[in-house]
Amino acid sequence: MIGLRRGARARISVCMLACVALLAVAAAAAVAQGAPDYAAIVAAPDRSDADREIDKRRDPVKLLAFTGVRAGMKVLDMGAGGGYSTELMARAVGAGGVVYAQNAADLVARPKERFEARMKTPPMTKVVALVRPFDDPLPADVRDLDLITFFFFYHDTTYMEVDRAEMNRKLYAALKPGGVLVIADHSARPGDGATVGKTFHRIEEGVLRREVEAAGFKLVAEGDFLRHPEDARDFSVNRPTGPVDEFVLKFRKPD
C-alpha cells in the first residue's frame, strides 16, 4: 500500500509539473500574442509611400511602444484626420480588436478624402469611423476602452467650438479603470498657453496637462523621443523653419 501511495504521489507530481509547464507555455504565448512587433507593423510592405514619409517625423515604432497598444484592444483615435495613426492602431489591435476613429463633421476636404480612401483598404476592416464633435466623441454604448490616442490635434480644439473640459470628462468616462490616454502635440513657448493653436498650431505642455488632469487623469509617463530643445517655438509647424519640439504624455484612469 505504501508503494502504491508513493507511486500515486509520483504520478500526481509528474502531472502537476506537466500542467505547470503547459500553463507557462500558454502564458508565454498569450504575452507574445498581446505584444505586437511594432517594427514589423511599421515595416509592413502594404503601407503607403505617403505614410512612410510621415514616419520620418513621427518615429512610429517608439510612439506605438509608448502607447502600449496590444492585440484585442478597444481603442479610440481622437482627431483621426487622414487616418495615419488610425491605421497603425488597427494593425496593432489585429482581428480581435477594434479602433474607433473620431473626426468632426467640419474636417477639411483633403484629410477627409484621404480618410475615406483609406477606409476602403484591408488594414481598416476593424475600424469604425465616427463623425462626431470633439466634446461628444462616442456613442453612449461605446465604453470600457483600453486606450485613447490623441495625436497632434488637441491644439486645434483650442480655437474650435469645443468644450475641452467636457471633452476630457467624456474621454475619462469612456475608458475602463486602468485605461490609458496618450496625447502627443507640438510644444508652445512658456506663457503661450492655449493662445497659439491657430497661428502656430502649438499648445503649452503644462496647460494641456492641467486641463487633462482636471478630468481625473493621472500622468504616468512622458516620452522624449520627439523632443527638439533647439526649437524656438516661434513659428507655425505647418511652415517649419527647423525641427519641431513635440511632447508625448501618457495619462491613466485610476482603478
Side-chain angles (χ1 to χ4, degrees):
M1 292 296 291
I2 294 174
L4 288 173
R5 291 195 190 100
R6 287 176 177 169
R9 284 199 297 269
R11 287 194 296 273
I12 291 170
S13 297
V14 170
C15 289
M16 288 179 67
L17 288 171
C19 289
V20 169
L22 286 172
L23 287 171
V25 170
V31 170
Q33 183 181 16
D37 183 340
Y38 298 120
I41 289 171
V42 172
D46 60 334
R47 293 186 68 231
S48 70
D49 291 339
D51 281 357
R52 295 189 193 283
E53 281 299 310
I54 298 174
D55 290 347
K56 294 177 182 178
R57 64 179 187 275
R58 286 288 177 260
D59 208 341
V61 175
K62 291 180 181 177
L63 188 58
L64 285 170
F66 187 81
T67 68
V69 62
R70 295 286 189 272
M73 277 189 169
K74 291 170 62 177
V75 179
L76 167 63
D77 189 28
M78 289 286 288
Y84 167 82
S85 59
T86 309
E87 181 178 320
L88 287 171
M89 289 293 148
R91 290 174 182 270
V93 302
V98 61
V99 179
Y100 298 93
Q102 179 270 344
N103 273 314
D106 59 354
L107 182 68
V108 295
R110 191 173 180 183
K112 183 178 180 181
E113 290 168 2
R114 288 176 176 172
F115 184 81
E116 290 173 349
R118 192 187 296 270
M119 281 296 292
K120 299 174 183 176
T121 64
M124 302 291 277
T125 55
K126 300 300 293 184
V127 173
V128 178
L130 300 173
V131 180
R132 297 182 65 92
F134 280 90
D135 46 20
D136 189 21
L138 288 166
D141 61 341
V142 177
R143 58 180 69 90
D144 294 326
L145 299 174
D146 298 289
L147 170 66
I148 298 173
T149 54
F150 207 152
F151 295 150
F152 308 102
F153 218 117
Y154 193 104
H155 71 269
D156 290 296
T157 66
T158 65
Y159 61 86
M160 300 167 67
E161 292 184 6
V162 176
D163 183 337
R164 297 197 303 282
E166 179 65 11
M167 174 182 74
N168 291 328
R169 285 192 293 267
K170 290 285 180 67
L171 297 181
Y172 185 89
L175 281 170
K176 70 180 185 182
V180 169
L181 165 65
V182 177
I183 302 180
D185 219 322
H186 315 292
S187 300
R189 295 168 297 190
D192 278 349
T195 66
V196 293
K198 193 171 186 177
T199 53
F200 292 166
H201 291 275
R202 299 172 181 263
I203 187 169
E204 189 176 343
E205 180 180 348
V207 169
L208 183 150
R209 176 177 170 178
R210 287 193 294 273
E211 289 185 359
V212 173
E213 289 179 327
F217 286 101
K218 304 300 180 185
L219 183 70
V220 293
E222 302 177 50
D224 61 0
F225 47 89
L226 297 179
R227 287 292 193 184
H228 286 281
E230 70 275 25
D231 177 14
R233 294 176 281 179
D234 59 356
F235 56 87
S236 170
V237 303
N238 290 346
R239 296 180 297 279
T241 59
V244 176
D245 184 60
E246 294 164 334
F247 57 87
V248 190
L249 305 175
K250 180 184 288 186
F251 300 90
R252 184 174 177 271
K253 179 177 179 177
D255 293 324

